[in-house]
Amino acid sequence: MSVLVIGCSGGKKITQAQKAFEIGEYTKAAELYKRAYSGEKNKYNKGEYSYFMGECYRITNKPTKAASAYSKAVRYQYPVREAQLYMAECYRKAGKLEKAIPEYEAYLEKVPADIRAQKGLASCMMMQKEPKDNRYIVEKIKDLNSKFSDFSPAYAGKSYDYVIFSSMRTEAKKRKKNRITGQGTSSIYYSKINSKGEWTDPEAFEEPINNPAYDDGAPNVSPDGKTLYYTRCRFDNEQPIGAEIVYCTRSGGKWAEPEVIVIGEDSMVVAHPAIDPAGETLYFASDREGGYGGKDIWRTHKTKDGAWGEPENLGSAINTKGDEMFPYVREDGILYFSSDTHIGFGGQDIFKAVPDEEKEWIVSNMGSPVNSNSDDFGIVFKGKLEEGIFSSSRGSSKGIDNLYSFVLPKLHFTLNGTITNVNQEIVAGAYLRLIGSDGTTMKINTPSDGTFKVKLKPDTDYVFLVAAEGYLNQKVKFSTAGEMDDKDFAFDVTLEKPIIKVTE
């Protein structure tokens, strides 16, 4: 996953691998550790170099290389127990379940209470059953992607024909090479749908939004389209520097200078802003104190004086010992976020969190094909429609993120059948009256062949009455609620004449 997932840091050219690692130059550090490993004979040192190689590859989203490095660290008995856990996680992320499962099991024998390993093993078991794909259709958006990471989209405006996103492509003016990933530094790009219905070539925002000295990305736009929130990462030559959230406002077609949103001072990372539809609550990811481990989803409410109040952690239903990031809030209050620890398909998965009547979160995995064994994150929807864009590193051995469209096709339901009598003869003049829980009420006269066919709506309870002069009425109840696939409800109705009692 991109640099804006893990935080930000930087450094000058140095020759010591540990120094490079400490200041976040993971690509450079991995190469230095690799060189040191090849010339080392001491087993402890080889284990240490392998472990830090694994860390570098894991952080920069190269799970296959990371798993191989961690396996060497375990083999040389490097005394960090989590090396085996990370090896299992990376095998799972690489889709190698047959290797991940025994490593999870071995690790859990030593650390049985580690929830990350418990959920990782449960995820492997789920994936072994080959869960059925849901009805979402997912496609890579060719016009928006480059050979570098493109991720974290956001719609600007209610027409959903203008998208902004993060990109590590190197075409932007003055963009330097990213010191963590080896790609270009992250910039914010935009694209619009033209008269042909196609996305235009993405263009980078000029200053002050993009600053060549920083990593800028993970954008989010206020409901009125006048305020842009995004993550900014600064660099320092000697020490790690955290991520921060900035915002800028637009007036007269011009963007003002970005300003930092101050949210506490006890965190290295405050990132991935998501403003709610009312514009009064800001969701974000942070490693601040008071969380559950790793990066958690927090929120802060705007005060009367326009400042942001004390942050509130969203709780254990959403946050875990791992990383929860990239929040997004829909118009109906449903929260979407990514997690690497909730039970899923591997890497970061996208989850849906629905508040219940007691304002507790009910969390569910978005399922396949939205989620894969790679990183899937940064989802946005077109308003109330079940379609939009998200980011994924699927299909890339180098951890490159791309933008994908998704859409949930509308379900199609019909009611059909034939009306006959007990002698299998067509009943002349028969009709059907259909009543639905959505307020539907209609009368359908059957044609001369006695058949009927009616379109139905999803999530609706129905009852229909079949009647004809001289026959007893027939009533049938059914429902489209809970149906996940297209379906024809077929009912062949037999009408009977009333029994006339003869009295003497």
Side-chain angles (χ1 to χ4, degrees), residues 319-349:
N319 294 313
T320 68
K321 281 190 174 182
D323 287 333
E324 281 71 46
M325 300 177 288
F326 292 97
Y328 171 77
V329 188
R330 295 185 72 177
E331 295 177 12
D332 55 8
I334 294 178
L335 171 71
Y336 293 80
F337 65 97
S338 292
S339 172
D340 62 3
T341 302
H342 282 287
I343 295 175
F345 294 81
Q348 288 273 336
D349 271 15

Side-chain angles (χ1 to χ4, degrees), residues 150-414:
D150 301 290
F151 59 99
S152 197
Y155 287 112
K158 296 294 185 180
S159 58
Y160 307 107
D161 59 355
Y162 187 120
V163 68
I164 60 177
F165 60 95
S166 311
S167 181
M168 290 184 164
R169 64 189 71 192
T170 57
E171 289 88 342
K173 294 180 181 179
K174 302 179 183 179
R175 302 310 290 181
K176 299 177 182 179
K177 189 175 183 180
N178 184 277
R179 302 173 184 184
I180 298 176
T181 65
Q183 301 186 57
T185 51
S186 177
S187 303
I188 300 176
Y189 280 69
Y190 66 91
S191 176
K192 301 177 181 179
I193 293 180
N194 61 24
S195 59
K196 297 180 180 179
E198 300 171 342
W199 291 107
T200 58
D201 290 338
E203 297 182 49
F205 282 100
E206 298 293 340
E207 294 188 55
I209 291 179
N210 283 323
N211 189 312
Y214 306 133
D215 261 314
D216 296 308
N220 189 251
V221 184
S222 63
D224 62 9
K226 295 180 179 180
T227 305
L228 173 65
Y229 301 86
Y230 59 101
T231 305
R232 169 159 284 182
C233 303
R234 295 176 288 114
F235 299 114
D236 188 275
N237 289 335
E238 296 297 329
Q239 61 183 343
I241 298 294
E244 59 192 6
I245 294 174
V246 300
Y247 76 99
C248 53
T249 56
R250 186 179 62 179
S251 178
K254 293 184 178 181
W255 291 98
E257 286 289 334
E259 296 184 42
V260 176
I261 293 179
V262 179
I263 307 176
E265 298 178 354
D266 58 351
S267 58
M268 276 294 295
V269 175
V270 179
H272 309 160
I275 194 73
D276 78 323
E280 298 296 322
T281 302
L282 184 68
Y283 293 77
F284 61 96
S286 179
D287 63 353
R288 62 184 288 116
E289 292 183 5
Y292 292 83
K295 299 171 187 66
D296 284 4
I297 305 295
W298 299 72
R299 65 184 172 192
T300 176
H301 303 287
K302 187 175 288 187
T303 61
K304 292 181 180 179
D305 61 2
W308 295 100
E310 184 65 21
E312 168 194 359
N313 189 287
L314 292 195
S316 59
I318 286 177
N319 294 313
T320 68
K321 281 190 174 182
D323 287 333
E324 281 71 46
M325 300 177 288
F326 292 97
Y328 171 77
V329 188
R330 295 185 72 177
E331 295 177 12
D332 55 8
I334 294 178
L335 171 71
Y336 293 80
F337 65 97
S338 292
S339 172
D340 62 3
T341 302
H342 282 287
I343 295 175
F345 294 81
Q348 288 273 336
D349 271 15
I350 299 173
F351 290 84
K352 175 182 180 179
V354 181
D356 63 14
E357 295 179 355
E358 298 179 355
K359 295 185 178 180
E360 296 292 332
W361 296 103
I362 308 300
V363 177
S364 59
N365 191 295
M366 285 284 288
S368 174
V370 170
N371 288 317
S372 66
N373 63 354
S374 299
D375 283 328
D376 305 290
F377 62 101
I379 195 168
V380 292
F381 288 79
K382 291 183 178 180
K384 297 180 180 180
L385 300 177
E386 284 298 312
E387 62 179 290
I389 305 175
F390 69 97
S391 328
S392 178
S393 63
R394 64 188 66 187
S396 173
S397 61
K398 297 180 180 180
I400 301 296
D401 303 313
N402 282 291
L403 296 172
Y404 287 79
S405 67
F406 69 94
V407 61
L408 184 65
K410 292 182 178 180
L411 287 167
H412 298 282
F413 300 117
T414 56

Side-chain angles (χ1 to χ4, degrees), residues 16-169:
Q16 297 177 344
Q18 192 62 33
K19 178 66 174 179
F21 182 86
E22 288 174 356
I23 63 174
E25 292 187 337
Y26 300 114
T27 299
K28 179 179 179 180
E31 184 59 33
L32 291 171
Y33 278 122
K34 185 177 180 181
R35 293 177 189 174
Y37 176 89
S38 63
E40 183 60 56
K41 294 182 179 180
N42 181 279
K43 291 184 177 180
Y44 178 88
N45 290 342
K46 290 179 81 71
E48 182 176 53
Y49 300 157
S50 297
Y51 174 78
F52 281 101
M53 266 194 287
E55 289 287 89
C56 292
Y57 291 136
R58 177 174 66 89
I59 291 170
T60 54
N61 200 22
K62 300 178 179 67
T64 300
K65 286 187 175 182
S68 177
Y70 286 130
S71 69
K72 293 183 177 70
V74 172
R75 187 170 75 242
Y76 287 116
Q77 300 181 340
Y78 184 64
V80 174
R81 287 189 303 186
E82 287 184 323
Q84 190 166 31
L85 170 64
Y86 294 150
M87 174 170 53
E89 297 276 65
C90 290
Y91 276 138
R92 176 166 68 95
K93 191 171 181 179
K96 299 178 180 179
L97 303 184
E98 72 286 353
K99 292 187 176 182
I101 290 174
E103 299 302 339
Y104 277 125
E105 292 173 338
Y107 177 79
L108 283 168
E109 289 181 3
K110 305 169 190 173
V111 195
D114 195 317
I115 192 70
R116 295 170 297 177
Q118 293 172 9
K119 290 191 174 183
L121 182 58
S123 296
C124 288
M125 299 301 185
M126 178 195 73
M127 292 169 67
Q128 278 191 323
K129 295 179 181 179
E130 297 183 354
K132 180 183 177 182
D133 285 357
N134 56 38
R135 297 176 52 255
Y136 283 103
I137 297 174
V138 171
E139 296 180 344
K140 184 183 288 189
I141 308 176
K142 183 180 179 182
D143 292 337
L144 295 183
N145 292 309
S146 65
K147 64 180 180 179
F148 300 98
S149 283
D150 301 290
F151 59 99
S152 197
Y155 287 112
K158 296 294 185 180
S159 58
Y160 307 107
D161 59 355
Y162 187 120
V163 68
I164 60 177
F165 60 95
S166 311
S167 181
M168 290 184 164
R169 64 189 71 192

